Each structure stands twice: as C-alpha cells, then as structure tokens.
Amino acid sequence: MSTELIPILALAVMFLAATVLPVNMGALGFVAAFFVGTLSLHMSSDDIIAGFPSSLFLTLVGITYLFAIAQNNGTVDLMVRGAVRLVRGRVALIPWVMFGITAVLTAIGALGPAAVAIVAPIALGFAARYKINALLMGMMVVHGAQAGGFSPISIYGVTVNDIASKAGLTNSPLTLFLGSLLFNAAIGVLLFVFLGGRDLIGRSVHDDGVEDTAGTGAGGSRGGAPTTGGDPGSGGATATKVRPAQTVAGSPARSGVTFDQAITLVGLAALAVFSLILDLDVGFISMTVAVVLALASPKAQKGAIAQISWSTVLLIGGVLTFVGVLQEAGTVEYVGNAVASLGMPLLVALLLCYIGAIVSAFASSTAILGATIPLAVPFLLAGEVGAVGVIVALAISSTIVDVSPFSTNGALVLANAQNVDRDRFYKQILKYSALVVAIGPLAAWAILVVPGWL
C-alpha cells in the first residue's frame, strides 16, 4: 500500500473504533499519529507533535474559561436579557439574530472563529434558557459566520479572489459573496424547519413554560430545567437538571449590574475589539481577559477551570494532530492530482468540491481553498465549464463543513454547549456535519456548475 493511502486507512479505523467502543477519538488520534508517523513516514516525535493545533487549543480553553466565569457571575444571564429585549421576547427570532450577528461580523472582516467564539457561548446560553434546540442554535451561528465569510473585505473573500486573479481566471467577487450568503441562509431555513424552529413561532419569553424564574424551572415547576440538544431532524430535547438562574428576563430577581458583571462586560468588549478589529489572537486575548477577571474577583472564577470542556480539547487535539501526519504524507495532493487528471470537467469539478469538503472538515478551510482552486485552473482555462460557478462551488463546499466538531467553529459550539449530554451532542454535530459533507458539495455543484450560467 502506498504511503499516501495508509493515513486514510488509519483514519477509517479510528472512526470505527470510536463509534463501537467508548473511547475518546482524540486519544486514538494521538496513538495513530505516533504509529503512522513513526513507522510509515519515519517522522520524529517533534515533527509529529508539530501538528498539534496549539492555537485552537488555546482558543478552546481561553473562551470556555472566560465564559465559565461570565456564567458564574451572572454576566451571561445579563446579556441574554438584553438580547431578549432586542427581539421583544419573540423566541423564534433569536436563532436568526445570532445568524445575522455572526454574518455581519465576518462580512466586515472579522475572522470566522473569532466571531463564533464570541457569539456561540451567548447563543447557546439562549438555547439552554428558552428550550431552543442546541444543535439549531449552534449551527445557525456557524452558518452565519460562513454567510458573511466571502465578502470582498473578508479573509476568505480576499484569499479566493486573489488566487483566481493570479491564475488569470474570470471571477466575480460579488457573486462569490452572494452565493455563499444565500447558500448558508438556505441551510439556515432548513435547520430552522427541521430542528424545532417552527415550534418557536408565536412563543414569547414571558409565556408560561418558557420564562425561567428564580426557583422555578422553564417547565413551570419547581426545580424544572430547560431542555436542549434534541436529535437532529426533530424538535426533541434531553432534559437536564440545572441550577435556577440568578437573574432572568422578566423576573423580579435582582436588578442592576454588579461589580463583577461590569468588569466582565468590559472584558468581553475588549475581547471583541482586540480580536475582531485589531486581529489579535482570540485565544490569547480570551485567556488574558479571563485571568484579569480571576485576579479582580477570585470568588467569581471558583470552579471555572473545571467547567472547561477537557474531553473536547482532547478530542480536537488528537484528531488534528493525526491530520497533520496525513498532510505530511501528501495524501491530499495525491488524491487531488489523481482527480484533476481525469479529463472530464464536470466530474472533476464535483470531485474537487468533495475533496475540499472532506479535508476542510478536519483542516484549515483557507489552506484547502488555496490547494483545490489551483488544481481546477487547467480545465477552467479551457473554458469547458464556467470558471465563476466552479470557484463559488469550491468556496462553499470547503467552508460549509466548518460545522464539523473537528473544525475551530464546530469545536467552539461543542465546547460551549450548556446543560446537554456532551457526548450525545458531539454525536449530533458529527452526524450533521457528515450530512453536510455528503449533500453540500453536490448541491453547490448542481446549482452553480452544471447549469453553466456562471
């Protein structure tokens, strides 16, 4: 068996083992990276560990640590109440507000992971409080980030337009932006319809059974709890006991802003400014803000470290370390070149869309775009298929899969989910991302490439 194919076989074994046995797939990933890297590729331990996603590790730990403190001191509750007032208590609008906020942030140039890191914890707090399906809320945030992600001034947009321009390809920045925006908005509609969004229409946060008050759960009985995390395709949910909220929308609970909440709000504003506007690393900034809050108010951070989703950190770290070994083996280039040499333009375009989707579910979307578009250049220059349509289809296929729990955005949703069975929620996200990988590239290709109108 060729060196390039061994990592693919190892990845399949990892998935099978993690599905059948109660073993963290991240632990399997570290073991697979060691054996494949050492025995097959003759890599040193330093070379193998170089694939560890240190930046993502810091982001996951920093963000979950920061928002654990914000949850403990009631700041998340405070922000939830403010956002509820913004939509005048209409629960059905909340997922779309979160979609819109992340779309605007990425459209004006913010990095997708930075926007998701800030919005996802608040959005998932809504889901826990008002009985909104956690999968619906989390995926609306990620697709919102992708909806705005190809504006002419965004990182994705600039990258794709620059690659197309240097290759001498016909391109349309506006078509690229609108294509991604409309495609992700359509996915948002489907999510809303199939994950319980229709049940939210007409509901208000002040309705019986929705509003959570101090000492009374969302179900209207003492000690009740919000429910989240229903199975994909249903509006169902898993009931989980949670502590009564300290302050909630419409309740007569404590009013005003405490000192801890005030400095936390200042810290979150600083996180937004430094990460979204100044483009500083969101992991370092979130960790800095969390440490400052812990020093300013030690009681508020009690137990916050334990609330970090360490199982998620292990999962992501191990799998992506193995993906680094897979890339070192040249597997992506090997498969991509084999596909590009087929000589059938429509089929090549479809297969490249799938390669972009599958690899991007585990690796950097920007890097994959930089690899797949050049592979398409020879047959695009021949003019047998529309260059604009193929470029937009490749761009969409390589980014809609950022819902994967192994991507930064999907991992942030998984790590920040509240009051859910995390293992079950991970499987839900995994199933949904597999569905996106299976259907998304085909839909993009059928709509944008086959008709030949772009």
Side-chain angles (χ1 to χ4, degrees):
M1 181 180 293
S2 67
T3 301
E4 294 86 356
L5 295 179
I6 291 175
I8 295 179
L9 177 61
L11 184 62
V13 172
M14 283 167 51
F15 269 109
L16 180 62
T19 302
V20 175
L21 302 172
V23 181
N24 187 295
M25 189 171 168
L28 295 172
F30 280 121
V31 174
F34 173 68
F35 278 103
V36 173
T38 302
L39 301 179
S40 178
L41 303 178
H42 307 293
M43 297 171 65
S44 68
S45 296
D46 288 342
D47 290 335
I48 294 172
I49 205 65
F52 179 79
S54 54
S55 178
L56 179 53
F57 168 84
L58 184 61
T59 298
L60 289 175
V61 174
I63 286 293
T64 52
Y65 182 29
L66 171 57
F67 276 90
I69 295 175
Q71 181 71 40
N72 288 350
N73 65 27
T75 304
V76 171
D77 288 337
L78 193 68
M79 293 188 293
V80 166
R81 293 201 309 276
V84 165
R85 285 194 292 269
L86 181 66
V87 298
R88 298 183 179 181
R90 291 189 287 270
V91 177
L93 292 180
I94 294 174
W96 290 107
V97 168
M98 298 301 143
F99 180 96
I101 290 173
T102 47
V104 169
L105 290 175
T106 54
I108 62 177
L111 291 171
V116 172
I118 292 171
V119 177
I122 301 170
L124 290 162
F126 271 112
R129 176 68 55 74
Y130 299 118
K131 298 195 294 185
I132 301 172
N133 191 307
L135 185 63
L136 166 63
M137 190 67 94
M139 297 303 100
M140 288 291 274
V141 171
V142 178
H143 283 297
Q146 305 313 321
F150 283 96
S151 78
I153 61 173
S154 69
I155 299 298
Y156 284 161
V158 169
T159 299
V160 172
N161 292 326
D162 185 60
I163 292 173
S165 176
K166 288 181 178 179
L169 298 172
T170 302
N171 188 37
S172 171
L174 181 61
T175 302
L176 176 64
F177 174 43
L178 292 179
S180 179
L181 175 63
L182 295 175
F183 200 92
N184 281 279
I187 294 177
V189 171
L190 293 175
L191 284 169
F192 190 82
V193 170
F194 289 104
L195 291 180
R198 291 171 295 177
D199 297 334
L200 304 178
I201 297 174
R203 284 174 51 189
S204 167
V205 298
H206 305 296
D207 293 341
D208 290 337
V210 177
E211 181 184 4
D212 187 13
T213 58
T216 303
S221 61
R222 303 292 294 183
T227 57
T228 57
D231 290 325
S234 74
T238 301
T240 308
K241 290 280 186 180
V242 296
R243 61 178 177 80
Q246 295 174 342
T247 54
V248 293
S251 72
R254 181 181 64 197
S255 60
V257 179
T258 67
F259 170 75
D260 288 351
Q261 292 169 349
I263 60 173
T264 303
L265 289 172
V266 171
L268 294 176
L271 172 64
V273 170
F274 286 116
S275 62
L276 298 180
I277 298 177
L278 301 182
D279 286 337
L280 297 180
D281 184 85
V282 68
F284 277 116
I285 298 300
S286 59
M287 184 63 76
T288 301
V289 173
V291 170
V292 169
L293 294 178
L295 293 173
S297 181
K299 289 184 179 179
Q301 67 93 43
K302 185 178 181 181
I305 293 292
Q307 293 173 247
I308 295 172
S309 181
W310 294 111
S311 62
T312 301
V313 172
L314 173 61
L315 170 71
I316 305 305
V319 170
L320 294 188
T321 299
F322 175 77
V323 169
V325 172
L326 183 146
Q327 292 176 318
E328 181 68 23
T331 301
V332 178
E333 292 82 359
Y334 174 81
V335 175
N337 289 327
V339 167
S341 64
L342 291 176
M344 294 179 284
L346 279 177
L347 179 60
V348 169
L350 176 61
L351 294 178
L352 286 178
C353 284
Y354 271 106
I355 290 173
I358 293 170
V359 178
S360 185
F362 299 91
S364 166
S365 298
T366 305
I368 296 306
L369 286 169
T372 54
I373 293 178
L375 287 174
V377 168
F379 74 85
L380 290 180
L381 289 176
E384 295 185 47
V385 292
V388 174
V390 172
I391 290 171
V392 176
L394 285 173
I396 291 173
S397 300
S398 299
T399 53
I400 57 171
V401 295
D402 282 356
V403 295
S404 162
F406 308 112
S407 72
T408 303
N409 292 344
L412 284 166
V413 170
L414 177 62
N416 285 286
Q418 300 178 21
N419 307 323
V420 299
D421 181 333
R422 205 172 294 278
D423 288 338
R424 184 168 180 261
F425 191 50
Y426 158 69
K427 291 178 181 178
Q428 291 176 353
I429 296 177
L430 189 62
K431 289 177 183 177
Y432 174 69
S433 58
L435 185 65
V436 171
V437 169
I439 298 177
L442 179 62
W445 174 79
I447 295 170
L448 297 165
V449 180
V450 174
W453 55 281
L454 291 176

